[in-house]
């Protein structure tokens, strides 16, 4: 089976749902506190595995209870964790998350061991069909993985979250990038809010050498552009409880669809369906659907 290597962060999320997100200096009373497994890398690995992918996760956790729970959780999803290393000096990653009544969130990440995942921890990536990365680990590690992938002409997908600038060298050889509207704006300077502005932003990224661009646009669905194809695909109307990990579910699903050689249109429809289910549930990995739930 074609392997998906997800290289990225693993966190334990500490979540409270409130009526509205507090401003600076403000205290708000929220609902019941809960913890669940998170981290953009681990979320994407879990999404890919639950949706039918053969997944290897490359990450770093602390020598603590959260790190052990993270590894156990990934293994329960049948994810290969041979390349999850343990850091004795830094704690496992954690994230403090507040979710408002509309399902929007505010996230603060304490990266801990994630920030120590370096190029020396990367395995031989030769057996990977797809390499999927996000931006919660050091950018040098992402660049090193992309350089290895280039040697073997593998497809690299970057979900550029949380937003930060990416070098032209990294962008030049990317197979696919999956920003949301805000991240697309950060990367291109184009404020994205509809198909026209999404096209403008995508064109900036295509000019830098990225082969395929998908901009996820929440309720509006997703916009796709390559040199010779353009698609705008709607999202179904659903009752939104918590948008945490919707983008992760989308990127994990796209990776699976690509290993199954789906067309871009079918791949994006599949990923939108998965992400639309995730927003109806609370939590990060707790919200990710299984393949049999996607109609
Ligand atoms: O994308 C959602 C994730 O961002 C959360 O699970 C949190 O851990 C942060 O990494």
């Amino acid at each position: 089976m074609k392997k998906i290597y997800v290289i990225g962060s693993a966190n334990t999320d500490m979540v409270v749902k409130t009526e509205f997100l507090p401003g600076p200096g403000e205290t708000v009373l929220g609902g019941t506190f809960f913890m669940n497994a998170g981290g953009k890398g681990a979320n994407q690995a879990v999404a890919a595995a639950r949706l039918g992918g053969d997944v290897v996760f490359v990450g770093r956790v602390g020598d603590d209870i959260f790190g052990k729970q993270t590894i156990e959780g990934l293994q329960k999803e049948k994810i290969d964790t041979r390349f999850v290393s343990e850091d004795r000096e830094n704690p496992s990653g954690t994230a403090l998350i507040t979710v408002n009544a509309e399902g929007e969130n505010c996230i603060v990440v304490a990266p801990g061991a994630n920030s120590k995942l370096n190029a020396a921890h990367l395995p031989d990536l030769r057996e990977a069909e797809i390499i999927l990365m996000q931006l919660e680990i050091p950018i040098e590690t992402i660049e090193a993985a992309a350089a290895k992938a280039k040697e073997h002409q593998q497809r690299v997908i970057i979900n550029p979250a949380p937003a930060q600038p990416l070098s032209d060298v990294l962008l030049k050889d990317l197979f696919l990038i999956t920003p949301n509207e805000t991240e697309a704006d950060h990367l291109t300077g184009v404020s994205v809010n509809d198909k026209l502005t999404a096209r403008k932003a995508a064109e900036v990224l295509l000019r830098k050498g990225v082969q395929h661009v998908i901009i996820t646009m929440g309720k509006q669905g997703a916009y796709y552009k390559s040199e010779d194809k353009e698609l705008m695909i709607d999202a179904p109307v659903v009752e939104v409880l918590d948008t945490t990990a919707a983008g992760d579910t989308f990127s994990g699903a796209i990776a699976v669809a690509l290993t199954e050689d789906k067309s871009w249109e079918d791949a994006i429809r599949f990923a939108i369906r998965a992400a639309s289910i995730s927003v109806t549930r609370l939590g990060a990995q707790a919200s990710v659907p299984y393949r049999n739930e996607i109609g």
Side-chain angles (χ1 to χ4, degrees):
M1 203 171 171
K2 295 173 176 173
K3 292 212 183 281
I4 300 170
Y5 270 60
V6 181
I7 305 175
S9 60
N11 296 329
T12 298
D13 291 353
M14 319 223 168
V15 189
V16 183
K17 186 139 167 113
T18 66
E19 196 52 32
F20 56 90
L21 305 176
E26 191 176 8
T27 301
V28 295
L29 286 178
T32 311
F33 165 79
F34 77 101
M35 294 203 298
N36 82 126
K40 294 184 195 302
N43 295 346
Q44 293 182 20
V46 167
R50 287 188 187 166
L51 294 167
D54 183 2
V55 182
V56 179
F57 181 63
V58 181
R60 195 158 174 85
V61 295
D63 178 16
D64 50 32
I65 182 72
F66 290 154
K68 286 180 185 43
Q69 284 171 349
T70 294
I71 294 173
E72 277 169 27
L74 294 169
Q75 286 172 346
K76 273 195 196 131
E77 305 288 345
K78 304 207 169 18
I79 294 170
D80 182 342
T81 58
R82 271 175 304 144
F83 307 116
V84 179
S85 53
E86 225 176 62
D87 189 320
R88 303 223 153 172
E89 274 142 38
N90 294 280
S92 295
T94 47
L96 306 181
I97 304 184
T98 315
V99 181
N100 71 10
E102 286 74 44
E104 298 164 318
N105 59 41
C106 210
I107 305 182
V108 179
V109 175
N114 294 304
S115 66
K116 303 294 173 192
L117 180 72
N118 60 46
H121 301 124
L122 294 174
D124 183 347
L125 298 170
R126 225 169 300 185
E127 65 165 5
E129 168 76 17
I130 302 256
I131 295 165
L132 173 60
M133 298 185 280
Q134 327 68 34
L135 307 182
E136 280 185 339
I137 55 169
I139 194 70
E140 298 77 18
T141 310
I142 294 166
E143 288 171 347
K148 277 193 179 208
K150 190 180 172 186
E151 277 172 37
H152 307 296
Q153 294 168 341
Q154 288 151 317
R155 292 182 283 181
V156 175
I157 306 175
I158 289 196
N159 170 237
Q164 64 166 286
L166 298 179
S167 73
D168 285 353
V169 175
L170 181 61
L171 289 171
K172 187 165 71 65
D173 295 311
L174 280 191
F175 176 72
L176 168 66
I177 194 162
T178 60
N180 64 19
E181 294 131 303
T182 320
E183 292 145 8
D185 184 349
H186 273 271
L187 288 170
T188 65
V190 179
S191 155
V192 176
N193 45 45
D194 58 10
K195 182 175 173 184
L196 201 72
T197 49
R199 180 188 296 142
K200 275 195 187 154
E203 280 169 353
V204 173
L205 294 163
L206 293 175
R207 277 200 295 275
K208 295 207 178 240
V210 181
Q211 291 175 50
H212 304 273
V213 178
I214 300 176
I215 302 179
T216 56
M217 300 177 66
K219 287 182 185 143
Q220 290 190 72
Y223 173 85
Y224 165 88
K225 180 125 181 69
S226 64
E227 205 178 290
D228 52 11
K229 200 178 180 73
E230 181 181 43
L231 298 164
M232 179 82 213
I233 299 185
D234 290 342
V237 179
V238 293
E239 202 158 314
V240 177
L241 189 63
D242 179 0
T243 55
T244 309
D248 299 332
T249 303
F250 185 95
S251 288
I254 283 286
V256 173
L258 291 175
T259 60
E260 293 179 359
D261 300 322
K262 286 193 194 298
S263 68
W264 281 105
E265 181 164 352
D266 288 348
I268 294 166
R269 286 193 193 288
F270 174 72
I272 287 180
R273 278 204 298 276
S276 302
I277 294 173
S278 80
V279 301
T280 64
R281 301 170 178 169
L282 216 49
Q285 285 166 41
S287 75
V288 173
Y290 290 84
R291 180 71 176 235
N292 62 7
E293 298 178 80
I294 315 289

